[in-house]
Amino acid sequence: MMRGERRRLALAALALAMLALVADATLFAVRSLEGSVHAEPTWLIWYQDPGTPGVVTSIDGLEASATVEVPTGIVLEKRHAIYYDTFDQQPNFTSSPYCSGVLEWNQTGHYMVVNISALGWYYDWWYGVYQLPRWYCYFYPSSLDISSYVANGSGVYAAAIMWRNGYYYVGDWLRVGFAYANDTTWDSYLIGLRDEVLANLTGDNANATAYYYNYSQGTYYVSLLNESSLPSGAYGFEGLYHHNMSAGIDFNVWDAGFWSIGLTVNSSSTLRALKAYINESYRFTPNRVGVGVDTEYIYAYTLDGLPYIYFDNFVVTVDAYPWLVNVTGLLPGWRVVLLNSTGGVVDEATAGSDGVASLSVWGYLIVPNASIEVYDDQGRLVARASFSYVVGGDVYRVERFAGRVLDIYSDLAQGFVTWLELVDTNCTLLDSGHVYIFLYNSSGAAAAPIEVVDGVIVSSSTGQVPAAPTGSGGSWLAGWIWATAYLPGGARCFVDLREVFEVAPGVYTYGRARIVFSAR
């Protein structure tokens, strides 16, 4: 018998069943104990292979089986850092003109030292003090060329942990931050802080600044923006305090920015302290990025306690903030914890509706021998992985299956209501793993899922989903069965499902599907 003829007979049978339900339900032996009619129009509603990678299906009408390959673990999806260094080994840095011998590597503490005194003091007989010459020096990794990213209109960001010693004299002025330079023309931008040293080790005055140093034309510097005063109660570049600082330029729109954490009293939030637009008059193509120091006005009555600037954990990223690490592939409400080499918590965050959790790595920027742990919304450990380095700007992904397993099509002229029921399951999920089965209609509306977590059935049915034709006749996509699964390596889980279709009030037909999840 041809499919079209079977379809007509099925439609006729379904119509007769519905009519009989209204006229005299006792005429039909298929009447259930609840008084509903069970019809079998399996060729009017059927499953279809959605073609999802990693899913192999076998389908006969509303009878289907599917095998799902589930990847496992947490993987580094993208490292946005194009340079990062903890300075455990002496780096190869280049200095700007007339600044050789100013930058040193501390092999004990594994950090970099800007020895400002190396510029050479002179004695001012008029004021009776020693002074340093007004000088601007910057230092950058010799191997790093950012010119291609600038040409592509990318955002290039630099970050470091920076500090100074505590023996400057009250009234000293200096600029410290990040330099974007061209090593042919030696033009540069300096984005950071302008700091006035006050008494003791706290209470410095500071502004966020962005300057253009036009070396080739002899202009010493041009302010790109009037100095942006920090909020009331802000800290300056305090002596002996570690400062988390970052600067960046979006070369698509030529906006410069400066960010830091803990700039304000009793605050641990990241503050954007500067936004400066670089107009056409001050544009050039930087090919280097590093740390810059401008000795605006530094003096001393004696040469005891010479001034130094220090920096450590230097990171340069493209199109990503160097103080954030993102973890994707999560479900809303899942929690991610980043741990350092001793098991201390660097940061933790909860995924939002987009399935992403953002972790702050201020205070580290580079975390050696780090671990990432993922917990579900019930606090159960889902995944854990260790990495030699977690670096600001990194994007990690929790490997799991997420996709359509079976599509649902129909030839019925009218819509219907459907839901899924869990008939049986057998899962070897060890102590961490989950399978969630969702039912969607063609509009993307989903019901609450079937849940199997750690081999335990948390929810055995979905909510009801309405499906309705979207066209003017013929076959139409009614919806799909969508699953997400995380399994530890070697684990295996199968679920036997029954799908109920209420094609008219009190008239039902059923689909059956076995889905086998197997960890890769």
Side-chain angles (χ1 to χ4, degrees):
M1 184 180 296
M2 299 298 291
R3 183 171 183 244
E5 187 176 350
R6 292 202 308 269
R7 184 178 303 158
R8 286 193 295 272
L9 290 175
L11 280 170
L14 179 59
L16 286 172
M18 294 170 64
L19 180 61
L21 178 65
V22 176
D24 187 355
T26 60
L27 295 176
F28 288 84
V30 294
R31 184 169 61 87
S32 72
L33 293 177
E34 294 79 14
S36 60
V37 174
H38 174 201
E40 290 289 348
T42 55
W43 43 86
L44 300 177
I45 306 173
W46 66 94
Y47 291 130
Q48 193 162 304
D49 184 354
T52 304
V55 179
V56 178
T57 63
S58 176
I59 300 170
D60 182 12
L62 276 176
E63 299 285 337
S65 64
T67 301
V68 178
E69 184 181 62
V70 181
T72 61
I74 304 172
V75 297
L76 174 61
E77 186 169 34
K78 185 173 180 60
R79 173 151 287 162
H80 287 274
I82 56 175
Y83 181 90
Y84 61 97
D85 202 334
T86 60
F87 304 124
D88 289 343
Q89 304 294 326
Q90 184 169 6
N92 184 10
F93 265 55
T94 299
S95 302
S96 55
Y98 310 108
C99 293
S100 61
V102 177
L103 185 67
E104 304 168 359
W105 174 61
N106 187 301
Q107 60 181 338
T108 302
H110 297 165
Y111 51 77
M112 305 303 293
V113 183
V114 180
N115 181 1
I116 298 176
S117 297
L119 295 171
W121 294 89
Y122 68 93
Y123 190 72
D124 188 324
W125 294 95
W126 182 263
Y127 291 102
V129 296
Y130 294 95
Q131 288 196 28
L132 281 173
R134 176 68 189 276
W135 219 258
Y136 168 43
C137 296
Y138 52 85
F139 319 93
Y140 54 86
S142 305
S143 61
L144 180 60
D145 187 332
I146 65 170
S147 55
S148 63
Y149 305 108
V150 176
N152 289 337
S154 299
V156 180
Y157 301 86
I161 301 169
M162 305 180 71
W163 67 101
R164 66 171 177 85
N165 61 333
Y167 301 101
Y168 288 47
Y169 282 81
V170 174
D172 282 351
W173 282 95
L174 74 153
R175 298 186 181 101
V176 59
F178 300 93
Y180 290 75
N182 185 291
D183 63 3
T184 300
T185 66
W186 299 112
D187 288 356
S188 67
Y189 305 116
L190 178 64
I191 307 168
L193 295 176
R194 181 175 185 253
D195 189 78
E196 179 189 12
V197 178
L198 298 182
N200 302 316
L201 298 179
T202 62
D204 286 10
N205 287 329
N207 292 315
T209 59
Y211 288 95
Y212 168 45
Y213 293 80
N214 191 326
Y215 184 90
S216 60
Q217 297 182 21
T219 304
Y220 195 67
Y221 70 85
V222 176
S223 174
L224 298 175
L225 186 74
N226 291 333
E227 292 172 3
S228 175
S229 296
L230 300 180
S232 176
Y235 291 116
F237 194 62
E238 311 293 347
L240 302 182
Y241 285 82
H242 284 193
H243 300 269
N244 294 271
M245 298 166 55
S246 180
I249 301 177
D250 181 344
F251 289 101
N252 184 44
V253 292
W254 288 87
D255 273 342
F258 174 74
W259 296 263
S260 187
I261 189 173
L263 275 176
T264 55
V265 177
N266 298 323
S267 172
S268 59
S269 61
T270 298
L271 172 68
R272 179 166 185 170
L274 176 73
K275 182 179 175 66
Y277 174 68
I278 304 173
N279 67 38
E280 290 81 356
S281 302
Y282 303 134
R283 291 182 187 175
F284 65 94
T285 302
N287 65 337
R288 306 294 185 182
V289 61
V291 170
V293 178
D294 181 346
T295 61
E296 183 175 348
Y297 179 65
I298 297 179
Y299 73 99
Y301 292 106
T302 69
L303 295 183
D304 296 332
L306 301 177
Y308 298 92
I309 301 291
Y310 308 89
F311 64 94
D312 200 1
N313 284 21
F314 181 61
V315 177
V316 179
T317 59
V318 173
D319 292 333
Y321 291 138
W323 63 86
L324 287 180
V325 168
N326 287 320
V327 181
T328 68
L330 306 168
L331 289 180
W334 283 18
R335 183 169 57 94
V336 180
V337 182
L338 174 61
L339 305 171
N340 62 22
S341 60
T342 63
V345 175
V346 175
D347 195 28
E348 57 183 275
T350 300
S353 59
D354 59 355
V356 178
S358 294
L359 300 159
S360 169
V361 289
W362 280 128
Y364 293 82
L365 298 176
I366 305 166
V367 189
N369 301 314
S371 299
I372 296 175
E373 295 180 344
V374 177
Y375 297 85
D376 67 15
D377 56 358
Q378 302 300 313
R380 295 170 290 231
L381 180 66
V382 172
R384 187 181 194 277
S386 298
F387 302 91
S388 298
Y389 290 97
V390 169
V391 183
D394 282 356
V395 178
Y396 294 85
R397 184 182 71 253
V398 177
E399 290 267 75
R400 60 186 178 93
F401 174 80
R404 286 157 71 157
V405 179
L406 293 169
D407 281 350
I408 306 160
Y409 277 82
S410 177
D411 270 351
L412 291 172
Q414 77 280 0
F416 50 82
V417 175
T418 180
W419 63 93
L420 288 172
E421 297 173 348
L422 180 63
V423 177
D424 191 17
T425 183
N426 186 352
C427 297
T428 56
L429 301 180
L430 306 180
D431 61 349
S432 64
H434 69 261
V435 170
Y436 294 167
I437 310 292
F438 293 82
L439 182 61
Y440 283 84
N441 64 18
S442 59
S443 298
I450 291 170
E451 300 181 40
V452 181
V453 180
D454 296 346
V456 177
I457 300 171
V458 178
S459 175
S460 60
S461 65
T462 70
Q464 296 185 356
V465 173
T470 56
S472 57
S475 302
W476 50 280
L477 176 65
W480 55 83
I481 297 173
W482 190 91
T484 178
Y486 174 84
L487 301 180
R492 183 179 173 87
C493 177
F494 80 78
V495 293
D496 285 341
L497 303 172
R498 182 174 84 150
E499 184 167 5
V500 183
F501 301 89
E502 187 173 16
V503 296
V507 181
Y508 300 86
T509 191
Y510 304 92
R512 292 173 178 83
R514 166 169 284 201
I515 305 175
V516 180
F517 299 89
S518 181
R520 187 167 60 193

